[in-house]
Amino acid sequence: MDDALTVAVRVKPGASRARVGGRYDGPHGVALVIAVNAPAVDGRATEAARRALAGALGVRRAAVSLRSGTASRDKLFLVADANPEVAGRLRRLLDGTEPTG
């Protein structure tokens, strides 16, 4: 899995507006902030964050999987088949220069 990318994420469930962008200094280091409308119930916020991350990075939803943090706001996602363009997009999202939502 040389082309896989691990992405630390801070999920904000129950947000009034879904958005991907910005940084948060969390337990896994610098994390991408993902605000989702879904509540933190039965994994709905995690699934919404997974889908939002895939969309923001421009990859297939199936390429993004949860690595850790099932019941936490701080999660690690694994992005398979990540090319340099995906890594660049992630950097811009962290910097807040390419917010989506």
Side-chain angles (χ1 to χ4, degrees):
M1 277 216 260
D2 295 334
D3 54 354
L5 178 67
T6 299
V7 180
V9 168
R10 173 69 170 194
V11 178
K12 294 186 173 185
S16 60
R17 188 173 83 115
R19 185 174 189 281
V20 178
R23 59 190 318 129
Y24 174 83
D25 292 323
H28 304 295
V30 176
L32 178 64
V33 177
I34 300 179
V36 296
N37 301 111
V41 176
D42 297 329
R44 290 192 283 184
T46 299
E47 178 58 19
R50 185 184 73 82
R51 289 173 181 248
L53 179 60
L57 294 179
V59 299
R60 300 175 348 257
R61 283 187 244 163
V64 179
S65 60
L66 182 65
R67 189 170 137 202
S68 70
T70 303
S72 172
R73 290 177 187 238
D74 298 301
K75 302 180 183 301
L76 288 176
F77 285 97
L78 186 66
V79 181
D81 303 325
N83 57 40
E85 183 180 322
V86 171
R89 194 170 290 147
L90 175 61
R91 279 191 300 279
R92 290 189 300 277
L93 287 165
L94 284 165
D95 292 341
T97 58
E98 189 175 304
T100 65

